[in-house]
Every structure is written in structure tokens, then in C-alpha cells.
Amino acid sequence: MNPFFISTPIYYVNGKPSIGHAYTTIAADVLARYQRRVGRDVFFLTGTDENSQKNVEAAEAAGRGNDIDGYISDMAAVWKQTWDDLHISYDRFIRTTEPDHLAAVEAFWHRVQASGDIYKGAYEGLYCKGCEAFVTEAELANGLCPIHKTAPETIKESNYFFKLTRYKDALLAHIKSHPEFVSPAARRNEVTSYIEKFMTDVSISRSTMNWGIPVPGDESQRIYVWFDALINYISGIGFGTDEAAFARRWNQDATMINLVGKDIIKFHCAIWPAMLLSAGLPLPTRVFAHGFFTVDGDKMSKSLGNVIDPLEIAHEWGEDVLRYYLLRDIRFGEDGDFSHERLAQRYASDLANDLGNLTHRVLTMADKYGAPPLKRAPSDATATYHAAMESLALHEALEEIWRMVREANQRIEQEKPWEMAKAGKQDGLTALLEGLLRDLGVIAYMLEPFMPETSSALTQKLSTGKKGDPLFPRRDL
Ligand code: MSP
């Protein structure tokens, strides 16, 4: 089967991971685990975006202005540890200060230069530090950046530009002929209208910066952080250092998915593909932008003090519960809300009650009425589930699993195995319980990408026939 590549954005290290960052990373992990299970050669890339001025400012604010490298390394370690604690199955955690990334950025710069797409010019305009992006008046709301609610600064300097506008027609044509390239479909208009109406050539270097990757051949300039950061998607798999490995993972026949939040779609659906076209490299199969969520109805922000640490939720409820809640309660691709109350409800109803009880009942009855444990773990899932996973409709895949859970519970209510036992209908009873055990096996299989620990605990119970501890102990809420 052809290789499958999936990435998250690389995150700034000016703060610790929030539940928002965990959301993207968990979703990517679910997709990576699913594709591995179906036998694809998967590469899952995540990491940290380290050459940003934001990181430098955070180091200074933390009193480590004289040890920026050390601060950034410490923070990168915090991010990595968070993903390890959440059982994220990444294949590589890339840091954009690593030597192979630097080599790749240089090689990439040379390719774009060889295509005639880099020129020197004078930039005068607005820059939003929060976005690390040049912005136009038209993109502002009342003079402020609509995302960061801050006034951009005016910048006037001489630097290098990328001929982005040269790729306008090619980008529009690609988006039209590859409907899956910008997904979900709702985001396509946003991207095409940006390309048609707002897109200009972009400055790809800064002369006033002393942090970041130097421009090859001109040490007085540093490469613009987004230009450097986007290249991580290919430097992380060998571009510029291991061409054979790179060609194997990044080619027309492979599936390459860049998973991002909707806030950074412009970079990923316009600038990034134009960079690849300029460098003569294939485009990702798909850039999927998921929605943003609020917390209990409010925008998550440091100033509101409502930023949720994913590890706190994981410690309180378990990693699997966090994973389940995020992907079940928010339709993947749409905006949503993280609510502590709904998390507790989902735990009690979907997990403890529906799945936990089903498991407990079936194993109790199998033991009591003599049905043998499951010899082989099933590896067949429903077509609806596979279709949902392939189309990144993660909430639909979970809905399909819970449809089976509910159906199994209903079957028990309807067939009343305890009455079958009383009436001595042993054959029917054994067949019913074997069917239920098997269904639970399929449920465990389908659940694995979403809730790896629960899936393995369930499989273990089914194969030994031992109830053991409940999957989801009841909690006083
Ligand atoms: N460093 C850039 C990305 C470079 S990729 C080549 C960046 N980093 S970031 O640390 O600001 O992370 C932004 C991403 O975090 C979003 O695109 C999204 O994936 C995730 N999210 C952060 N807060 C979120 C929510 N409240 N809701 C959903 N996702 C959120 O941008």
C-alpha cells in the first residue's frame, strides 16, 4: 500500500501546550494509528517552531534573555513530554533548530532561487507579531489584527521577496481540479477568495532580526519564520539530507496530509503549495483545517486565564477519555466548545454506562452461562467506519462505534438471555453471547485509534473472559 504521511502544525514554544494544540495532535494521532492498523506505511510528524521572534520574547519575559537557546530547548522538551504523556505515536518530533532542518531550508531556498522566484525589494507595510505575518489594511478589523486584537507595527526594510503571485493561476487551477486539497469544502471559498483578491508577493526575510536561519549568501538577513517553518513538513522526512527517504514518502502516489487549525489555512493552502511548485516538488494531497473551540463558551486566552492544560484533564479523567471527548463532542472540521460539564456527561453516559456496562454484562453472562472467551481478536470494521476514517470524519467514526454499542445493549434487552437460560435454550443462549463477544471484539478493534488503552484492556478481557476492573469506574460528579 502507498505511504501515508500526516503532520500537525509545528507549535511555537512561547508557552506550554494547551488543549487546543492537543486537539490537533490527538486527531493526527488517531489518523496515524488508524492508517497503521490498515497496513499503510505511516509517517507521523509533529514538532516545534523555534525560529520565531515570539519565542525570543518569551525567553526574555522568563528572565532568560541571555540563554535563549536553553529556554527554547527546555520548552521543546515540555512539548515533547506532553505528547509522550498523551501517548501520541509520532514518528518524529522535529525541532526547526536541528541541523538537518537547517540544511533542508538552505537547499529549498536555492531551488526557489534557481526558479527565479526570489528577488530583493523594499518592504513597507504592516506586520502582526502574533501571527508572525505581514498583513494588509483590508485584513484588519478597526485597525487591529482580527485574531490577536493588537495593532500591527509598521515595518520598512529592504529584504527578499518570494514571487507568490506567479503561482496564482496554478494554485486556483489546482484547488479546482483537486477538490480534496482544501478541506473541509467550507474552507475552499475562503482560500480562493484570498488568492484571487488579496494575495501579493511575500517578504521572506527580515533584516532587523538576530534570531532565525540566515539567508544563504546574505548573513545580514534572516529567513522569515513561516517560510522556514513550512519546510519542516519535508525536512522532517529527509528533504535536503536523505533524498531517497524523502522521495519514498513524498510523491504523487503517496497520501500526504497536513492537518492544521483554520487560523493558519492561508499559509498552508496558498503560500506552502506555491513554495512547493516553485521548488518543483509535489503538493500535499490534502490540507485539512479543523475548527477552533472555545472553553465553556469563552475564547481560550491567557488574559482570561481559562487556558486548559491537556495534562490536567488527562490526569483527572485519563488520556483516553480526553481523546474521546474532544473528537466526539466537536464535529471534526467545525468549530465547537470544550465544556467540563459535557465531558462529565459523556463519561457517565457514553463510556461508563453504554460501553462500560455492555462489557460488564456480556462478560458476566458469558461466565455464568458458559460462553467461551474470544479466541481471535477480530480485525473487521464496518464499511461506514472505514469510509468515515478515510474521509477524516472522526466524529462519524465514533458515532458508528457507539451505534454498535447501543445495538448490542438493545439486543440484550430484547432477547433477555436470563430468560433463555431459565427456559433451557442453551444453544440460542451460547450463540447470542458469542455474537455479543464478537461484536465487542469489533468495537475494541474500531476503538483502537481513538482509545488505545481502553481498546487493549477490552481486548484483554474478551480473550481471557475475565471481567477484572471496570473499564470506566463510576464517578461521583
Ligand atoms: N507555528 C505556527 C504553525 C507553523 S506550521 C508550519 C503556529 N503555531 S501555534 O503554536 O500558534 O499553533 C497553532 C495551532 O494550534 C492551530 O493551527 C491549531 O492547530 C492549534 N490550536 C490552538 N488553539 C486552538 C483552539 N482553541 N482550537 C483548536 N485548535 C487550536 O501557528
Side-chain angles (χ1 to χ4, degrees):
M1 277 212 245
N2 63 346
F4 181 91
F5 170 89
I6 181 132
S7 62
T8 70
I10 45 170
Y11 305 104
Y12 295 126
V13 291
N14 59 339
K16 290 199 308 180
S18 79
I19 194 102
H21 306 115
Y23 179 58
T24 318
T25 311
I26 289 171
D29 183 59
V30 168
L31 292 166
R33 285 176 186 266
Y34 169 78
Q35 293 292 345
R36 278 189 207 111
R37 278 288 292 260
V38 298
R40 300 278 289 272
D41 174 11
V42 170
F43 198 94
F44 172 16
L45 182 67
T46 190
T48 40
D49 190 351
E50 305 195 353
N51 303 314
S52 159
Q53 191 60 25
K54 277 160 143 15
N55 301 331
V56 175
E57 284 170 14
E60 282 160 359
R64 294 183 63 183
N66 56 358
D67 178 28
I68 295 167
D69 279 319
Y71 171 83
I72 287 178
S73 291
D74 290 351
M75 289 303 289
V78 169
W79 282 78
K80 191 163 186 281
Q81 189 59 51
T82 303
W83 301 153
D84 289 341
D85 288 352
L86 293 177
H87 307 306
I88 302 300
S89 65
Y90 57 82
D91 292 293
R92 175 164 179 193
F93 182 99
I94 188 173
R95 300 184 50 195
T96 53
T97 48
E98 285 175 299
D100 67 336
H101 177 74
L102 304 189
V105 170
E106 273 195 30
F108 196 92
W109 181 282
H110 287 307
R111 280 207 191 205
V112 175
Q113 205 164 36
S115 298
D117 288 337
I118 295 181
Y119 63 95
K120 212 157 181 197
Y123 184 83
E124 186 171 356
L126 302 168
Y127 192 85
C128 170
K129 269 198 204 165
C131 296
E132 283 281 20
F134 296 98
V135 289
T136 59
E137 293 281 358
E139 290 169 290
L140 304 178
N142 299 325
L144 303 180
C145 160
I147 299 171
H148 297 92
K149 314 281 184 229
T150 49
E153 48 186 327
T154 303
I155 284 180
K156 193 175 174 181
E157 61 182 55
S158 153
N159 45 35
Y160 293 91
F161 280 74
F162 171 53
K163 267 192 206 161
L164 182 57
T165 51
R166 180 178 173 192
Y167 296 95
K168 183 172 173 177
D169 293 342
L171 289 175
L172 291 171
H174 186 81
I175 291 170
K176 208 165 171 198
S177 60
H178 297 78
E180 75 293 351
F181 177 66
V182 181
S183 2
R187 298 266 158 250
R188 213 166 294 141
N189 279 347
E190 193 182 322
V191 170
T192 44
S193 117
Y194 163 72
I195 297 174
E196 279 165 356
K197 299 191 202 128
F198 298 109
M199 200 170 86
T200 56
D201 287 352
V202 284
S203 159
I204 50 166
S205 75
R206 301 292 306 276
S207 62
T208 50
M209 227 52 111
N210 55 5
W211 188 252
I213 305 177
V215 166
D218 183 354
E219 298 278 314
S220 71
Q221 300 251 350
R222 303 286 172 140
I223 296 180
Y224 170 46
V225 65
W226 269 99
F227 193 83
D228 133 31
L230 288 162
I231 296 170
N232 96 85
Y233 298 133
I234 55 174
S235 68
I237 48 175
F239 173 80
T241 50
D242 184 347
E243 290 306 327
F246 172 61
R248 191 160 47 81
R249 301 226 169 259
W250 194 271
N251 61 66
Q252 303 291 359
D253 299 324
T255 304
M256 296 96 84
I257 300 180
N258 291 136
L259 186 64
V260 298
K262 67 174 188 178
D263 54 330
I264 52 178
I265 193 154
K266 192 172 93 180
F267 295 100
H268 285 84
C269 295
I271 300 178
W272 172 228
M275 285 166 63
L276 289 166
L277 287 174
S278 172
L281 296 169
L283 304 191
T285 321
R286 185 166 213 188
V287 177
F288 188 95
H290 64 66
F292 251 54
F293 57 84
T294 48
V295 170
D296 293 324
D298 290 317
K299 185 175 180 250
M300 195 170 26
S301 78
K302 276 187 197 153
S303 50
L304 281 178
N306 63 349
V307 178
I308 298 182
D309 178 347
L311 291 180
E312 271 176 31
I313 305 282
H315 290 152
E316 190 181 345
W317 295 92
E319 292 83 26
D320 277 12
V321 176
L322 169 66
R323 295 166 68 101
Y324 175 76
Y325 171 71
L326 285 175
L327 296 174
R328 179 66 193 262
D329 220 44
I330 302 166
R331 294 174 62 83
F332 198 54
E334 294 174 20
D335 289 342
D337 182 52
F338 182 100
S339 143
H340 289 88
E341 197 181 320
R342 272 201 316 280
L343 175 104
Q345 277 165 7
R346 288 260 179 217
Y347 181 88
S349 66
D350 305 6
L351 300 176
N353 199 44
D354 293 350
L355 179 60
N357 265 357
L358 174 67
T359 306
H360 186 80
R361 285 167 101 185
V362 171
L363 286 165
T364 306
M365 291 190 294
D367 186 36
K368 187 163 167 197
Y369 303 132
L374 211 58
K375 277 199 209 71
R376 239 172 355 114
S379 59
D380 48 346
T382 65
T384 307
Y385 168 84
H386 283 306
M389 293 304 280
E390 291 293 348
S391 65
L392 277 55
L394 300 178
H395 52 285
E396 279 173 24
L398 282 172
E399 179 50 38
E400 173 66 1
I401 301 175
W402 259 262
R403 186 192 60 74
M404 277 189 76
V405 170
R406 280 192 302 268
E407 208 176 85
N409 272 321
Q410 276 160 12
R411 208 174 331 138
I412 299 175
E413 294 306 318
Q414 278 158 10
E415 312 248 335
K416 303 189 173 50
W418 48 94
E419 287 184 5
M420 292 166 96
K422 259 192 226 146
K425 294 181 184 159
Q426 188 59 40
D427 287 356
L429 182 58
T430 311
L432 171 69
L433 290 171
E434 277 175 357
L436 286 164
L437 284 165
R438 199 175 177 293
D439 279 2
L440 270 173
V442 175
I443 287 165
Y445 177 80
M446 297 201 291
L447 205 53
E448 193 270 346
F450 294 94
M451 306 181 82
E453 287 184 357
T454 304
S455 166
S456 114
L458 177 54
T459 308
Q460 173 80 12
K461 286 178 195 295
L462 296 172
S463 64
T464 58
K466 295 206 166 46
K467 279 197 302 273
D469 294 332
L471 287 176
F472 303 100
R474 296 226 166 262
R475 301 169 67 124
D476 294 326
L477 302 170

